[in-house]
Amino acid sequence: MQPDKEQLEARLHYPLGQALPEPGRALGVAPGVKWLRMALPFALDHINLWLLRDTQDGREGWTAVDCCIAHDAAKAQWDRVFEHALESLPILRVVVTHMHPDHIGLAHWLCQRWTTAQHDCHLWISATDHAIACTASQSTTGFGGETAAAFFASQGLTDADQLAQIRGRASYYPNLVPAVPRQYHRLMDGGQLTIGGRAWQCISGYGHAPEHIALHCPELGVLISGDMVLPRISTNVSVYDQEPEADALTLFLDSLDKFLPLPAATLVLPSHGKPFTGLHERIQQLKDHHADRLAEVLQACQAQPCSAADILPVMFKRPLDLHQTTFAMGEAVAHLHRLWHGGQLVRSRGVDGVFRFRTA
């Protein structure tokens, strides 16, 4: 019998127990590292952000890691942070792990808010995610509109109402990320960021975002994992319309291996959930999770050719709203594509324009 989510979570250790930062305030998790938690208006109802004590050009202040989406409630949460958590010091720079709206949405606002005549508050991000965020903030890339609807239709989503709603989401990303700073500092795999006199090493990850950057500080034994390693939920790994034949799941699983050399005692600071130790255990859990889903998908395709829409009830046993359905469709395609690129499945396109997969 497979362990359930609670049993798997029990194998991890949460050094802070059930403690959570109060709204608008920060909770210390390591020397010079503070944890912020902000509400999100989605099923995934929060994001963790981080403040790192820093010094730049002789100025004392903070590096902020990730930003929350651009909406008035998030700005109000930040205003309370400015008042209660910064110790009367400025934010000196903004680091963004990747281009998803809950991480980059307020980067432009924060950088503008903390830029002065004497100091520029710059964005630090990977070049790939910066470029795609700039494009997506001015278009419908991957999140809605005609091209997204056509992509989902080609993967078997035939419900006219759902497709119409997806077409109507043309402004989904720009609404959450209305602007992206045009100037930035590039984060690259293997690079090093000095924050508050401590070295933070950049670790790139693929499959969840175009070029996700996690940060590891060997001196503190801390990993800011972003969305690459989460303690309770599995990271969304999807194929999108702008890269319709991607092998996103293979990229993600291969990226997880880059975290295995980190010490077993590493304190993981995830974007969702609570700080935990047990990094190696969690990586194995994620690999096992996807292995189980791949086995289910392969079995379904042995019985009959399946589209991604056919796979939804195989992979997801709960009812899904439209927002969840679009993520689930992307995940289903990602699992089918790993098996297809690996030669275990063969893909064909029917006269109805739908891609279906069968065992090789």
Side-chain angles (χ1 to χ4, degrees), residues 145-157 163 166-167 241 349 353:
E146 290 291 341
T147 56
F151 174 70
F152 287 128
S154 74
Q155 303 297 333
L157 191 66
L163 292 174
I166 292 169
R167 291 188 190 96
D241 64 271
R349 194 166 195 176

Side-chain angles (χ1 to χ4, degrees), residues 15 29-31 33-35 48-50 52 65-66 97 189 191 195 198-205 212-231 255-283 286:
V29 295
V33 180
K34 291 186 176 184
W35 173 20
N48 299 325
L49 314 175
W50 313 97
L52 310 180
V65 182
D66 288 337
T97 57
D189 185 60
I195 303 174
R198 296 186 176 95
W200 291 78
Q201 299 168 349
C202 298
I203 304 173
S204 63
H212 182 294
I213 299 292
L215 296 170
H216 175 239
C217 180
E219 179 182 339
L220 293 175
V222 167
L223 170 69
I224 297 178
S225 64
D227 279 350
M228 286 301 296
V229 185
L230 303 175
S255 295
L256 288 179
D257 289 339
K258 299 167 75 171
F259 297 95
L260 290 175
L262 272 56
T266 297
L267 176 63
V268 183
L269 307 182
S271 291
H272 309 284
K274 299 189 292 289
F276 71 96
T277 58
L279 174 63
H280 300 160
E281 166 67 26
R282 185 55 182 155
I283 288 172
L286 291 170

Side-chain angles (χ1 to χ4, degrees), residues 44 68 102 119 155 198 251 253 326:
L44 186 56
C68 202
D102 51 334
H119 176 80
Q155 303 297 333
R198 296 186 176 95
L251 291 174
L253 293 173
T326 57

